[in-house]
Amino acid sequence: MSRSFVFGQQAAAVPPFDFAVPSVEENNNTNTHNAGSRTSSNSTPLTPDRNTVSSVTGRLQGFNMQSGSPRTPRAANIGLSPGQLTSTFGHLFNATPEPARDTSENTESYNSDDGGSNDSNSEGEGEEEEEEVYSLRDEQLPPARVYNNELQTVLGQVKAGLAGLHQDMEGSSLSHEDDSTLSALKEDALRLSKFDFPVTRTVGFIGDSGAGKSAVINSVMDIKGLVQSSNQGSACTSVVTELRHTDDSHPPYTVEVDYMDSDAIKELLEELVQSFRMYHTDNVFREVESVHEQQRVREQATRAWSTLTSLFRGHDELTHEFLAEQGEGAYRRILDQLCRWTEASFTSRPGGEASRYCVVTGNLEACRRQVEILTRDPEDGVAWWPFINIIRLYIRSPVLRNGLILADLPGFRDLNYARVRATERYLKHTCNEVFIVTQIARCLTDPSIPEIKKRCDPDQPLRIVCTRSEEVNADEAPTDYPHLAGQIRRLHSTVEDLERRIRRLRQRRRQGRARNGEDGERLRDELETAKFNLESFLIQTRNQKITSQLTAGNEIRVFCVSNTMYRDRRNEEPPMAEKYIGLSGIRELRRYCQLVPADAQFRAVEAFLKGPAPAFVRSVQQWTLTDADSITVERANSLRRVLGEVETVLCGRLASDSDLRTLPRRLTRQFNAVLTANNRRNAWKESALAASREWAGWHWSSYAAFCRNYGTWDTKAVGSRCWNNEVLEGIRGDLEQPWNSTLDWALQQKEHVASIIEEIFQSASEILADNTNLAPIALENFIDNMDFWEQSLTDSLDRGLEELFHASTRIQRDTLWGHDSSYIAGLMRPVYIQCSQDSGTGSYARRKAYMDAHLRHGNIFPQLLGIVESSNRELFRAYQTQLKRVVEAELGNILRDLRGIVPEEGELSEAARFPDLAKKLEEQTDSARQTLDRAEAILSRLCLSD
């Protein structure tokens, strides 16, 4: 499937070629609003702090934080000195303002049961009650440079200044003349004033049905029922569902659906039929020997039948007998009939035959209903969810405001092979961090954890979220933790003692014997605190134990959370609500998620404040300075000649410089050279055939098991093997090292491109510097602005090359390794199916013959190289288009200012025609430059502290 290639700017509907940012971590600090440092994914795992176990008081000090002890901060910290504060969610909103809220919206946050927006600034009746409710907007963001309070404040001021410039320009009739310079400046002012976090980072939540993924996402979002859980009768967890923030193309509560294309639908139908027939064809199922695999085959057959009946309800021909038909050509006849039924159903699905369906629902309840329509299994209608590739929900939320995308992914053990391939591809290509969700009671034995870990890339940050942390038993705890039994009994005894005192007080009051000074309310407060202390101690003790066990020998961060506690306790009075929110672990999970996009967003903000924003302000100033120099006719003519020479240099070099213009073609040739120079197809085929000959020596049951499981399986006789990887052993040995070298060479082109840009701008600046006497004020401003244009262009091209590098790395992994979503898995899939469908006498020999013929005559390596060449061609073509667009846009801005330095002979400049506006804009730009100077100073401090 093709993607659009973007330089740091996320395409609305299609994931960009983004790269995985470094993993992020937080220190466990006793202050709920001060998290710790950011570390890489290979940092030391969280371990319990033994010093805090010695006393009840010590153990209670950190109860408002996530389980575990403080980490040792890395030298490269989050970039904030101890005295600096981070912004709140609300302040982040203010620096990047939202469009006006539609009064029809009804966002049901956890703050109330009757609706209301969790990102609204509205005030009104009940203000005193609102003060007693926990507000997400007041929650402090984690300590990352982009959330620095000073930076967010100055970013908001810069954007406000740009909006002010746009407003002043909008008020002039000149800005409405399409061919005027002011009109172009006005459009740029509007665009820049809307600067938003331009890049996204995706956090994928994945786990088996019932693990609590949907509840975790709803808690992190702080919105009730936003994502439907599988136990509510929805099939939504069989489909990847993304939560994104709104943008210009997607108003709040937009639901966008991408349906599968024809190839994906065909593959899905093949897998459904294959899964059904695997169990309902006697000869095939009889060969399955292991109890574990038998159970898996039965479950997959049951799910396949359920899915097929959901898709083709109303077709009486769909029966067990129809799907299990034997004989020559039966399998193909079944698939052809299912394909015809599928094509006939497209006209009645939401969006009709279009591959993408988008609807603006307007409010949360309507959004839920629309998702339910798309994901339910209706009793009297057709289900659409099996053919849905991805669902995107666009929500206006402070949690998503910084470019964070939350993805609800189905667990692999709940899927057929087609869905496994699609989900794994999303996991590897799109998720910057992966959160495995599991219930805390079974997390140590949950087989989904090693399964998902195996499917992630080696450098992909992996986290574990253990749900239901509130499920502890005070009576059993002393047995479970004998070394803490005394402390647990003391805490429990305190609770029981206070309960007895309260009962006695009530009895004395009923009898009229209550003593003066007996304060029942004080006792109830003490009891509530004592219960919290006991519950906290038990939960934190168990959380630390689980964390220690999960992280032993693993570089994995663990979060123990309670969705129930967060939901039920957050609306209590502030002191107790604050404690339970901290104990629930949801706040720390949410804060951690905010760190995932933080580094990329800081780079984007830094680039904006050092490039496009100051360059534009200088451009406006350039417009006001057109008549600042007293220029004679003779000097004007000389100046035009100089400016023409500069324009020739800029156009000739930026638009047609051979190194810059031909970079995409050189990249293409370099990568193609890796394939052609090392093309040893015959040797690769022989290597694959040698591997198949080894498999042919196995027991027939092992061979059949590997065929049934698409070449990846584990038996006692041969261990865990991946046939796809073994088929690729020859090509991987020849291509991996030269491909890595070429990737390094591609990334090094950043320096080459930067030197080209620097040389071009230096040449133009030198020409102008030699002639500043012709118009000193205007030319000096233009020369100063050259630095900002150079910075802006270099940053854009750097990001493009980085994204190209990471996209090409993904192609390399999908080419040289045999995971389920790899290229070779798709090429080997037909022979696995062919082998699995055969059974009976002589089937073992026939299967080996099928495999040998496929490897010997199937042209899998020419096909593989064709896929790689096609993927690279598409990638580099998109890069070339973006390179051209970026250069042309920047060059257009430069030439606009250059040509405006001196008006055409006999014409008045725009500034001269509108002197009042010029004066107003001059004052505005002076103020904007001062603000940008402050921004640069703040950025410098933050960068120095990193």
Side-chain angles (χ1 to χ4, degrees), residues 35-66:
S37 64
R38 171 174 53 84
T39 70
S40 67
S41 57
N42 59 0
S43 57
T44 304
L46 202 66
T47 54
D49 184 353
R50 301 182 183 277
N51 294 329
T52 60
V53 183
S54 58
S55 68
V56 176
T57 304
R59 290 297 299 273
L60 296 178
Q61 286 177 347
F63 282 155
N64 287 339
M65 295 296 293
Q66 176 63 31

Side-chain angles (χ1 to χ4, degrees), residues 101-107 250-255 359-370 394-396:
R101 181 172 181 264
D102 188 340
T103 56
S104 66
E105 290 182 30
N106 179 21
T107 304
H250 301 88
Y253 303 112
T254 295
V255 179
V359 58
V360 180
T361 62
N363 58 65
L364 180 60
E365 186 54 40
C367 181
R368 288 172 179 158
R369 288 197 300 270
Q370 184 62 47
Y394 290 85
I395 307 296
R396 182 161 60 186

Side-chain angles (χ1 to χ4, degrees), residues 654-673:
L654 282 177
S656 60
D657 180 272
S658 58
D659 278 353
L660 192 60
R661 179 171 48 83
T662 62
L663 178 59
R665 286 201 298 272
R666 287 187 289 115
L667 288 167
T668 304
R669 286 197 301 269
Q670 198 78 11
F671 277 92
N672 286 343

Side-chain angles (χ1 to χ4, degrees), residues 172-175 177 179-182 623 626-627 903 907-918:
S172 171
S173 60
L174 178 62
S175 71
E177 298 178 12
D179 60 345
S180 69
T181 300
L182 189 70
W623 185 87
T626 307
D627 298 306
E907 293 184 2
L908 281 175
S909 68
E910 293 181 4
R913 289 166 52 200
F914 294 85
D916 291 341
L917 175 63

Side-chain angles (χ1 to χ4, degrees), residues 118-131:
N118 65 331
D119 60 7
S120 171
N121 287 317
S122 60
E123 297 178 359
E125 295 182 4
E127 186 171 338
E128 293 182 359
E129 294 181 1
E130 286 297 321
E131 291 179 354

Side-chain angles (χ1 to χ4, degrees), residues 561-763:
V561 303
S562 170
N563 298 301
T564 300
M565 184 181 296
Y566 182 80
R567 181 188 64 232
D568 295 345
R569 298 295 194 131
R570 71 183 310 288
N571 289 329
E572 296 187 4
E573 293 186 1
M576 193 56 66
E578 178 76 17
K579 292 180 179 180
Y580 275 109
I581 288 171
L583 183 60
S584 74
I586 294 297
R587 178 169 56 202
E588 291 312 304
L589 177 59
R590 179 162 54 229
R591 285 158 61 85
Y592 182 90
C593 289
Q594 296 301 303
L595 286 173
V596 175
D599 184 62
Q601 299 299 5
F602 178 77
R603 290 179 57 196
V605 171
E606 181 183 30
F608 173 75
L609 293 175
K610 289 186 174 182
F616 171 76
V617 170
R618 290 273 186 173
S619 291
V620 176
Q621 192 167 31
Q622 193 73 53
W623 185 87
T624 68
L625 294 176
T626 307
D627 298 306
D629 297 289
S630 298
I631 304 177
T632 63
V633 173
E634 182 179 357
R635 289 172 65 188
N637 289 333
S638 299
L639 182 56
R640 291 190 187 97
R641 286 194 296 272
V642 171
L643 298 179
E645 184 180 351
V646 172
E647 183 170 339
T648 299
V649 170
L650 293 172
C651 291
R653 297 293 305 280
L654 282 177
S656 60
D657 180 272
S658 58
D659 278 353
L660 192 60
R661 179 171 48 83
T662 62
L663 178 59
R665 286 201 298 272
R666 287 187 289 115
L667 288 167
T668 304
R669 286 197 301 269
Q670 198 78 11
F671 277 92
N672 286 343
V674 172
L675 303 180
T676 56
N678 300 279
N679 189 340
R680 302 196 310 130
R681 299 179 185 181
N682 291 334
W684 302 340
K685 180 165 62 174
E686 286 303 318
S687 174
L689 287 168
S692 73
R693 285 193 291 271
E694 181 194 350
W695 312 333
W698 297 354
H699 189 270
W700 69 267
S701 61
S702 295
Y703 196 97
F706 273 80
C707 291
R708 287 192 301 270
N709 293 281
Y710 301 93
T712 302
W713 196 239
D714 185 355
T715 68
K716 291 182 179 179
V718 300
S720 179
R721 301 282 288 270
C722 176
W723 283 4
N724 294 336
N725 272 339
E726 294 174 30
V727 166
L728 293 172
E729 189 170 324
I731 189 173
R732 187 165 55 247
D734 285 340
L735 295 187
E736 188 169 26
Q737 194 280 326
W739 201 326
N740 286 337
S741 298
T742 305
L743 285 170
D744 292 340
W745 175 85
L747 199 56
Q748 289 167 7
Q749 297 308 297
K750 288 173 56 176
E751 297 180 4
H752 182 56
V753 168
S755 65
I756 293 173
I757 300 299
E758 181 181 11
E759 181 185 348
I760 293 171
F761 278 80
Q762 183 64 31
S763 298

